[in-house]
Amino acid sequence: MAGVSDSRERRWETRAAELKAADDWVGLCREFDAVDPAALARSSTAAYAYGEALYRLGRPRDLASFADVFEAASRSNADAAGTRRALNMGGVAAFELGQMDQARRRLEAVLEMAYAETDHEMLAPAANNLGAIADLEGRTDEALSYYRLALPLYEQAGKPHGLAQTYHNLGISYRALRQIEEALRSHEKTLEIAGGIGYRPLVALSLSARAECEVDRGNTDLALELSERAIGIARESQDPVSEGEALRVRGVVHGRGGRGPQALRDFEAAERMALETDNRLLRAEILRDRGYYLTAEGCVEEARPLLAEAAHELRSLGAEAKAVEIESRIT
């Protein structure tokens, strides 16, 4: 029986590698959704690829559930590397679901374990993910430190996907510090790496981030072009999270450009995608941006409950500074 099991797991690993190389995340989920999770979890490589597919397709609750099974199986088999992968997967799922304390605990455990075992493959993503939590919570300097730890580790390990993601996160932190030129340089680096490896969902996210920087600089025409490119790439990639983000940003651009009906349509479409993917952070940012637009248009009574809900949601995610900023603008 052990031989049969080993052969099956090798087939799973081969198939997962093929689909991952093709960026066929829909196909990867289709391949493994019907497989018994406990059996799949015994194949660390296939399990981790399946988890990445669940993340890419905006299925954080399924990811969280599978991460628990994966962790239990890895611990039962005394598979330390698998346990680190499972904990990282669970931390990412918790982050996407807005469970920041749980995300931090799991990712800090990965960081400690990976450091002890000199496991750069998991040390880098744990640092990158902890940086994203620090940035959300307003500890931007700490976030930058985590990203600067992750970047050389990804480079040494030859992991361009992680490298591109970290540059993207770095750009977000620079924008939070109002260092727009640094932010744009980071996003250009993201586009260079992600475009070179065909990492299209991240290309879409980075184009959206660049569009926000251009809005900050008053370049609304360029921002509109970038956000529309992002929407097209996200749709082609069947990535609802990056599409929702791109729609949010285009809504902001339309609002700044005096195209109110288009802005509201984009905010509504983006919110539907945030709800479908259980993405609380994205929804909070959509409510905030819609509220800001309505306030600018003089629709204060309509804006007030949207801003109050956005502030409440961000506070529940640990983003106290962002919540306070919104509340200061409720009139």
Side-chain angles (χ1 to χ4, degrees):
M1 293 299 292
V4 173
S5 177
D6 290 345
S7 175
R8 178 186 62 185
E9 290 174 14
R10 283 195 296 272
R11 288 198 304 271
W12 284 343
E13 290 172 2
T14 299
R15 186 60 176 150
E18 291 171 351
L19 293 166
K20 182 175 178 177
D23 280 334
D24 186 1
W25 305 109
V26 172
L28 207 155
C29 279
R30 189 182 301 118
E31 184 86 16
F32 294 112
D33 274 346
V35 173
D36 174 42
L40 180 61
R42 289 194 288 272
S43 172
S44 180
T45 301
Y48 200 56
Y50 177 56
E52 186 172 359
L54 292 173
Y55 168 74
R56 295 287 190 90
L57 296 181
R59 295 170 55 184
R61 294 194 184 280
D62 292 337
L63 179 60
S65 177
F66 182 67
D68 287 341
V69 175
F70 185 18
E71 182 184 349
S74 297
R75 291 188 184 279
S76 175
N77 294 330
D79 180 357
T83 300
R84 292 192 291 273
R85 285 179 160 190
L87 282 167
N88 184 70
M89 186 187 295
V92 170
F95 179 89
E96 293 297 314
L97 292 169
Q99 301 163 356
M100 295 304 156
D101 288 342
Q102 183 176 347
R104 188 185 304 101
R105 283 196 300 272
R106 290 189 173 190
L107 293 168
E108 286 175 347
V110 176
L111 195 71
E112 183 178 345
M113 294 164 66
Y115 184 78
E117 296 296 326
T118 321
D119 181 359
H120 290 177
E121 182 181 357
M122 294 313 303
L123 186 60
N128 180 40
N129 293 329
L130 283 166
I133 294 174
D135 184 78
L136 176 65
E137 295 177 340
R139 295 176 283 112
T140 311
D141 289 339
E142 184 178 337
L144 292 176
S145 296
Y146 276 125
Y147 298 146
R148 288 165 182 156
L149 170 63
L151 286 173
L153 293 172
Y154 274 132
E155 286 184 310
Q156 292 164 17
K159 298 289 185 179
H161 288 78
L163 191 64
Q165 182 67 62
T166 304
Y167 271 116
H168 174 70
N169 290 347
L170 190 63
I172 291 172
S173 290
Y174 278 133
R175 179 171 179 259
L177 293 171
R178 313 309 301 164
Q179 298 178 20
I180 302 302
E181 297 305 320
E182 287 291 341
L184 283 168
R185 278 191 283 272
S186 293
H187 292 309
E188 286 291 348
K189 190 69 175 177
T190 301
L191 287 168
E192 176 188 334
I193 299 169
I197 59 175
Y199 190 178
R200 291 175 65 77
L202 187 56
V203 169
L205 285 173
S206 194
L207 286 169
S208 296
R210 276 189 61 199
E212 287 199 288
C213 290
E214 295 299 346
V215 167
D216 291 342
R217 300 204 300 181
N219 298 331
T220 53
D221 288 343
L222 177 55
L224 181 60
E225 177 190 336
L226 291 168
S227 61
E228 289 183 340
R229 284 174 57 195
I231 291 168
I233 291 170
R235 286 177 178 166
E236 290 170 4
S237 304
Q238 300 181 66
D239 188 299
V241 174
S242 59
E243 184 177 350
E245 175 67 3
L247 284 164
R248 177 190 70 79
V249 173
R250 190 174 70 175
V252 171
V253 177
H254 278 316
R256 296 286 182 88
R259 296 177 291 273
Q262 294 98 315
L264 293 174
R265 281 198 295 271
D266 279 344
F267 289 141
E268 289 168 4
E271 186 176 2
R272 284 196 298 272
M273 292 196 161
L275 289 168
E276 288 170 4
T277 57
D278 289 316
N279 195 312
R280 293 172 59 198
L281 177 58
L282 175 57
R283 181 167 181 268
E285 292 178 337
I286 294 162
L287 292 171
R288 176 201 63 197
D289 292 340
R290 186 177 178 184
Y292 284 169
Y293 166 72
L294 291 170
T295 299
E297 293 296 301
C299 304
V300 175
E301 291 301 318
E302 189 176 350
R304 188 175 291 120
L306 298 174
L307 294 174
E309 185 176 358
H312 173 77
E313 190 74 346
L314 285 166
R315 181 169 282 113
S316 73
L317 294 172
E320 179 66 24
K322 295 178 186 291
V324 169
E325 180 185 356
I326 292 171
E327 288 169 341
S328 72
R329 297 178 59 173
I330 298 177
T331 57

